[in-house]
Amino acid sequence: MILPTDVPTRAQVERLLRAREPSSVSIYLPTNPASRGEAERIELKNLAAEASRQLLQAGVGRDDVAAIEEELADLVDDDEFWRYQARSLALFLTPTTGTTFRLPNRLTALVEVSDRFHLKPLLRAVTFPHTAFVLALSQNRVRLLEIAPELEPAEIRIPELPKDVASAVGKSSIRDRAPSGRIQGSEGQKTRMRQYARQIDQALRPLLTGLDWPLILAAVEPMDAVYRSVNSHPHLLSTSQVDEETGAITIDDTDDAVNYGVVDEIARRVWLNGGHVLAVRRSDIPGNGSVAAILRYVH
């Protein structure tokens, strides 16, 4: 079974980055895809109570606080929602809207109240894929596996996958003689392998289309090269495996953006101006800084 995720698209992230609402609540909650959601519901109740405390402390009106509390209570009581979870749940709420994303990476429980959403933890989910497929392929067998951190590899059953090269081309063996009576040789065998690989690629398309998950090919030659020659999945891995106009940022002690974070604001402006934002661990940044940038000036 594929890990149930709904990682936000760039357009969805952009909409969240542009949002402004005095009582914006961001909640991150670690979840367990193997659980029934009971522990997660209890934790969400605790986080909801903390959100209410922060809202009241910020001077948000009682009606707005009650509206957000009602949204969270409804979510806690939604049995169907908790049946399928990934490793983390991100929630973004205002008194009139609520958006959730099931994420493949494990995030720390967190509540933030500000005039905008706290998206820095979310950006890591869209920076790197945390789930991948492995296509274990030989002339005699083919399997598709899903791999993800902290979970055992799981085989994905696809009825349309051919069993092996011979059955894919309707032969008892790929060394069968051609209709003319002669052995087709190595080139003929490669032709049948290619037919086999093409059937595999076509069987995988309904599952892989639209997913940006990496596809790792576990095969030896000549099957490795044959499959790569017909593959249609764009993420097949290789064998080697600010002022809105000027960029100035001014923050004083009473600015809501103090809690929101300067790094968050830099990331927001880079994203909305067409730049690329990569959320990485501090140890991955030169000098162990909070942020690094590659800048290019274009006339």
Side-chain angles (χ1 to χ4, degrees):
M1 178 180 175
I2 297 177
L3 190 69
T5 60
D6 33 40
V7 176
T9 64
R10 185 176 181 92
Q12 289 172 316
V13 172
E14 187 167 316
R15 180 174 60 82
L16 292 171
L17 287 168
R18 293 186 185 278
R20 285 293 181 275
E21 165 67 45
S23 46
S24 297
V25 177
S26 305
I27 295 178
Y28 294 91
L29 170 69
T31 55
N32 183 352
S35 79
R36 301 181 63 178
E38 296 304 321
E40 288 87 344
R41 294 194 208 201
I42 293 172
E43 179 65 10
L44 182 56
K45 287 181 181 179
N46 295 333
L47 296 174
E50 173 60 19
S52 296
R53 187 192 68 78
Q54 291 188 28
L55 287 165
L56 291 172
Q57 188 177 47
V60 175
R62 266 288 178 188
D63 289 345
D64 285 349
V65 175
I68 291 174
E69 289 176 340
E70 184 178 353
E71 287 184 70
L72 289 169
D74 287 346
L75 195 62
V76 168
D77 292 337
D78 189 341
D79 294 335
E80 188 65 22
F81 176 81
W82 294 102
R83 286 183 60 193
Y84 304 105
Q85 291 297 319
R87 291 188 183 80
S88 295
L89 180 64
L91 303 91
F92 305 101
L93 305 107
T94 71
T96 58
T97 63
T99 304
T100 65
F101 295 104
R102 296 169 298 177
L103 306 176
N105 49 326
R106 187 169 297 282
L107 300 175
T108 303
L110 176 68
V111 179
E112 288 285 348
V113 171
S114 183
D115 67 339
R116 65 204 78 185
F117 294 124
H118 178 56
L119 299 178
K120 189 163 58 177
L122 182 70
L123 293 180
R124 185 159 182 83
V126 300
T127 296
F128 303 109
H130 295 264
T131 309
F133 293 117
V134 174
L135 182 62
L137 177 60
S138 71
Q139 296 183 38
N140 301 314
R141 191 181 184 192
V142 57
R143 294 189 302 155
L144 184 69
L145 305 173
E146 179 192 354
I147 59 172
E150 304 171 18
L151 290 179
E152 293 293 323
E155 183 172 357
I156 300 174
R157 302 288 182 179
I158 301 178
E160 294 78 11
L161 280 177
K163 179 182 178 182
D164 52 30
V165 176
S167 61
V169 297
K171 301 288 184 180
S172 59
S173 167
I174 62 170
R175 293 182 174 83
D176 281 357
R177 294 181 180 275
S180 61
R182 63 180 177 81
I183 298 293
Q184 289 187 301
S186 60
E187 285 306 311
Q189 292 175 23
K190 281 190 176 180
T191 296
R192 288 176 174 175
M193 289 182 203
R194 195 173 295 111
Q195 293 170 349
Y196 168 57
R198 193 174 292 113
Q199 288 184 31
I200 294 170
D201 180 70
Q202 291 172 348
L204 295 180
R205 282 186 191 181
L207 174 65
L208 300 184
T209 297
L211 288 178
D212 60 359
W213 294 6
L215 177 62
I216 302 166
L217 180 60
V220 298
E221 298 297 354
M223 205 63 245
D224 183 277
V226 168
Y227 184 80
R228 290 180 186 278
S229 72
V230 302
N231 166 69
S232 64
H233 185 55
H235 302 289
L236 176 66
L237 297 187
S238 62
T239 53
S240 62
Q241 301 301 229
V242 195
D243 176 291
E244 300 295 344
E245 295 184 356
T246 68
I249 298 176
T250 303
I251 297 176
D252 61 36
D253 292 339
T254 61
D255 197 325
D256 285 338
V258 171
N259 292 329
Y260 169 80
V262 175
V263 173
D264 301 72
E265 183 63 14
I266 292 172
R268 185 185 75 87
R269 296 187 185 186
V270 170
W271 187 293
L272 294 179
N273 282 282
H276 295 283
V277 177
L278 302 178
V280 300
R281 295 182 175 88
R282 182 182 291 270
S283 59
D284 297 325
I285 298 177
N288 290 325
S290 298
V291 64
I294 298 175
L295 306 175
R296 183 178 64 178
Y297 179 76
V298 180
H299 289 283

